[in-house]
Amino acid sequence: MKTPVHLNALRAFEASARHQSFSMAAAELNVTPAAVGQLVRTLEEWLGTPLFHRTSSGRVRLIPTEAAERALPDIRAGFDRLVLGVERLKEGATSGVLTVTVSPAFAAKWLLPRVDRFQAAWPDTDVRLETSLKPVDFVAQGIDIGVRYGTGTWPGLTAEKLMDEEVYPVCSPALLRQRAIEQPADLAREILIHDLSMAGHAGFPVWDAWLRRAKITDAATTRGMQINNSAAVLQAAAEGQGIALARSVMAREDIASGRLVRLFPEIGFASPLAYFIVYRPECANLPRLVAFRDWLLEEAAGAQAVFSPADNG
C-alpha cells in the first residue's frame, strides 16, 4: 500500500487518535463510525501492527499505541503541508482574493483613491485591505502583499522601494490669511501639530529635525496637538487647528486641491524613510501579486513627489 493513496485512512487514524473515539472522528469527517473503523483497520492490516489500545471502562476509548504516538506529529505536519500546498495552488490563479496590508493613513490618502484603476484592469481579482499601524505576520494572517514605511528591512520579507518622500510644513489657506507666516521663525509662535504614527521609530521626521534644517532653535516643539494618524494630522491642519509637518505622499492631493498650502518650499527636507512594497520571497511570482506590485510601481511613478533628494544634503 502506498501511503499517499490512503490519505483517507491516515485522516481517519489522526482524527480517531485526537478524539479517542471512532464516533467523534466520524462526526468530524462526515462519515459513519463504521467507515472510520474500517479505514483504521485497513491501515493496521497494512502496517501489521495495531494503532490503538481499546479500553471499555464506561465508554470505549481509543488510546494510541507508543508507535502511533511517535508517528502522529509527522502525520499532522504532513496534513498541514498538504493544506498549505492547496492554498498555493489557489494563489497561482489571477482570479480570487488578494490580501493587502497597509497603514490606515496610506490607505485613506493614497491607495483608496487609486485602487479602482487596479480593479478595472484586473476585474477577476478582489482586493481585501488589512489596515494596521503595526507590522503583521504574513503567514499567520494570510497576507499576500503590503506597503510599509521604513528603512526597507523586514525579516522574512522581500522589500522593493515604492516611493521616497519629502517633509514640509502645511496649513489651511484660511489660517494663512489670518496670520502672517512669512519666514520659518514665525512658526515659534504657532500651534504645531505632531504626527505620532511612528513615534519612537529611528529616522521618522519630526518637527525638531525640520526646524534644525530651517535653523530655528527657539521654537517650543514639546507642545501642540499630538495625533497618531498621519491622515488625521492633515485633517486637523486643513481645519485650521495649527501647522502640521506633512509627509508629501500623504499631503499631495490636499495641496493640489487647495485644502492645504505648503509653507517654505525653498527648504528641502527629504525623509530618511521611504515606502516599500513587501511580500514573502516564495510568493514573488504569483500572478495576482505580480499584477498588483507592477500596478503600484506604475502608480507611484506617475504620482511621485516633485523634489530632489539632493536637497537634503
Side-chain angles (χ1 to χ4, degrees), residues 98-122:
L98 182 77
T99 304
V100 182
T101 178
V102 294
S103 72
F106 185 82
K109 305 301 289 185
W110 195 91
L111 184 57
L112 287 175
R114 295 172 168 82
V115 75
D116 61 313
R117 294 199 281 268
F118 175 80
Q119 297 282 207
W122 297 88

Side-chain angles (χ1 to χ4, degrees), residues 3 19-20 76 107 120 142 144 161 171 175 179 195 208 210 220 229 242 259 262 278 291 297:
T3 301
H19 292 292
Q20 296 187 341
R76 286 167 179 152
D144 296 304
K161 182 177 282 191
C171 70
L175 188 147
R179 306 180 67 81
D195 186 344
D208 280 337
W210 189 91
N229 181 292
R259 293 182 71 244
R262 176 179 178 176
V278 292
L297 292 169

Side-chain angles (χ1 to χ4, degrees), residues 235-293:
Q235 181 65 30
E239 292 175 357
Q241 298 181 27
I243 314 293
L245 189 62
R247 295 158 54 184
S248 61
V249 169
M250 301 287 185
R252 184 182 296 112
E253 299 302 325
D254 287 320
I255 292 173
S257 68
R259 293 182 71 244
L260 290 172
V261 177
R262 176 179 178 176
L263 304 176
F264 316 116
E266 69 279 6
I267 301 176
F269 186 73
S271 171
L273 307 181
Y275 296 88
F276 291 84
I277 302 170
V278 292
Y279 50 86
R280 289 179 288 152
E282 63 268 27
C283 299
N285 296 319
L286 298 178
R288 290 198 302 273
L289 186 151
V290 171
F292 194 74
R293 179 190 64 197

Side-chain angles (χ1 to χ4, degrees), residues 51-293:
L51 296 174
F52 294 106
H53 302 297
R54 292 158 172 82
T55 66
S56 57
S57 55
R59 68 179 182 87
V60 175
R61 292 179 60 218
L62 304 175
I63 307 299
T65 64
E66 184 177 344
E69 286 284 10
R70 287 198 305 269
L72 278 166
D74 290 327
I75 291 170
R76 286 167 179 152
F79 281 124
D80 289 340
R81 297 295 296 181
L82 283 171
V83 170
L84 182 59
V86 172
E87 290 301 316
R88 294 279 169 80
L89 289 175
K90 293 179 182 178
E91 290 173 346
T94 55
S95 61
V97 175
L98 182 77
T99 304
V100 182
T101 178
V102 294
S103 72
F106 185 82
K109 305 301 289 185
W110 195 91
L111 184 57
L112 287 175
R114 295 172 168 82
V115 75
D116 61 313
R117 294 199 281 268
F118 175 80
Q119 297 282 207
W122 297 88
D124 293 333
T125 299
D126 298 323
V127 176
R128 183 178 73 189
L129 285 183
E130 295 282 350
T131 61
S132 174
L133 285 173
K134 298 180 180 179
V136 297
D137 186 322
F138 274 47
V139 175
Q141 294 181 241
I143 303 296
D144 296 304
I145 191 170
V147 176
R148 285 185 177 173
Y149 187 66
T151 58
T153 302
W154 292 277
L157 296 176
T158 295
E160 296 184 34
K161 182 177 282 191
L162 179 64
M163 291 178 285
D164 291 303
E165 75 174 353
E166 192 179 8
V167 179
Y168 42 70
V170 297
C171 70
S172 72
L175 188 147
L176 199 57
R177 289 192 294 267
Q178 296 167 8
R179 306 180 67 81
I181 305 175
E182 299 174 350
Q183 54 188 348
D186 294 335
L187 295 178
R189 53 180 167 75
E190 298 297 329
I191 296 174
L192 303 182
I193 304 173
H194 301 266
D195 186 344
L196 301 186
S197 60
M198 294 184 68
H201 190 293
F204 185 66
V206 294
W207 269 113
D208 280 337
W210 189 91
L211 290 168
R212 282 196 301 271
R213 171 55 57 86
K215 298 181 172 54
I216 305 301
T217 58
D218 58 348
T221 59
T222 58
R223 301 187 62 187
M225 184 178 296
Q226 301 183 10
I227 305 175
N228 69 346
N229 181 292
S230 296
V233 166
L234 297 177
Q235 181 65 30
E239 292 175 357
Q241 298 181 27
I243 314 293
L245 189 62
R247 295 158 54 184
S248 61
V249 169
M250 301 287 185
R252 184 182 296 112
E253 299 302 325
D254 287 320
I255 292 173
S257 68
R259 293 182 71 244
L260 290 172
V261 177
R262 176 179 178 176
L263 304 176
F264 316 116
E266 69 279 6
I267 301 176
F269 186 73
S271 171
L273 307 181
Y275 296 88
F276 291 84
I277 302 170
V278 292
Y279 50 86
R280 289 179 288 152
E282 63 268 27
C283 299
N285 296 319
L286 298 178
R288 290 198 302 273
L289 186 151
V290 171
F292 194 74
R293 179 190 64 197

